[in-house]
Amino acid sequence: MRYSLLSPGKRLRPILCLLSAEALGCAPATAMANAAAVEMIHCYSLIHDDLPAMDDDDLRRGRPTCHIQFDEATAILAGDALQALAFETILQDTVDPAVAAKSCLVLTRAAGAEGMVAGQVDDLLAEKTGGDAKMLHAIHARKTGAMIRASVVLGGIAAKANAEQIELLSNYGDCIGIAFQIVDDLLDVEGTAENTGKRTGKDQDRGKLTFPGIYGIQASKDRAEQFVEQAIAVVDTFGPAGKPLKQLARYITDRSH
Ligand code: GRG
């Protein structure tokens, strides 16, 4: 669990969670339990995604994947235990029980059978059956988008956001979630194992449904930029406190790993 969780990832999701609380005028530490929990769920999903039964990868975050470093059984169990630890962390370290309950509900929905797991199921299915632009959006909105939106919303919940603020944060999360996935697909085509810390060029080999595959490289870049601009416009409403969220949106398309 420590090997994978503490390995050098970007920590995008926990940072989003902390900055969202900050955008609503709270100290980022208010959202620390939720931030840690989203990274634990994300990390479990990476460990399981790398298994031979799924994407069968040997490199993650610049290191051997969990099942290569240890073995498959250990990797499955480390992922399982990280998932449980995420909810334990929220329930243990959140002062207000209502905030803890809301946070757990948002996180289970994003991670579960209507969210990330559903996206992963359809992603694996599409490798065999193919698919169109509609399917591509449906897969990514759940496989990657649901957890990114939840990260932002969980920052809002920790900051006791009202319904309108949660709606704005959700919209921001949806926009950067799509932009993030487009860039991830582009990095698989244009990046290298050195800069991304994972194997590249695998999507095409596996027949995956991707943005560059459906729209082409330049149109995918243009779309990612449009979603980032949309995200920035949404958080304009938070005034100066929302500036870090704007900077993070910019980073989504500027990143090289
Ligand atoms: C196993 C239920 C289950 C789901 C797996 C997250 C996921 C779903 C699969 C990972 C494969 C993948 C390439 C997903 C698309 C984008 C993504 C989530 C990339 C990894 O996230 P980063 O770039 O990783 O934020 P780091 O290592 O920086 O945290």
Side-chain angles (χ1 to χ4, degrees), residues 9-13 39 42 44-46 48-49 54-55 60-61 116-117 120 143-144 180-181 184 198 255:
K10 293 183 285 299
R11 312 286 187 253
L12 172 71
R13 293 152 193 82
E39 184 66 11
H42 169 61
Y44 120 71
S45 79
L46 297 180
H48 282 193
D49 183 68
M54 297 209 202
D55 266 9
R60 171 70 65 185
R61 295 177 163 176
M116 181 177 69
V117 169
Q120 179 77 347
K143 187 178 96 168
T144 318
F180 178 86
Q181 183 60 58
D184 200 75
K198 57 187 179 183
R255 75 192 174 103

Side-chain angles (χ1 to χ4, degrees), residues 38 63 68 80 114 128 144 156 183 190 196 214 242 248:
V38 289
R63 296 179 178 182
I68 297 287
D80 291 342
E114 309 246 329
K128 298 190 182 78
T144 318
V183 172
E190 297 186 319
T196 61
I214 294 268
L248 198 68

Side-chain angles (χ1 to χ4, degrees), residues 53-55 119-128 206 208:
M54 297 209 202
D55 266 9
Q120 179 77 347
V121 170
D122 282 350
D123 187 55
L124 293 170
L125 210 64
E127 283 180 14
K128 298 190 182 78
R206 289 188 68 107
K208 275 211 188 285

Side-chain angles (χ1 to χ4, degrees), residues 128-186:
K128 298 190 182 78
T129 59
D132 54 10
K134 193 171 167 223
M135 180 74 159
L136 172 75
H137 283 272
I139 289 172
H140 291 330
R142 291 168 298 155
K143 187 178 96 168
T144 318
M147 279 298 294
I148 290 185
R149 182 179 54 216
S151 303
V152 179
V153 169
L154 284 169
I157 291 173
K160 304 199 174 169
N162 61 34
E164 194 191 334
Q165 289 167 325
I166 293 285
E167 182 67 20
L168 288 169
L169 289 173
S170 291
N171 291 343
Y172 169 85
D174 284 342
C175 292
I176 58 162
I178 299 185
F180 178 86
Q181 183 60 58
I182 297 174
V183 172
D184 200 75
D185 286 355
L186 286 164

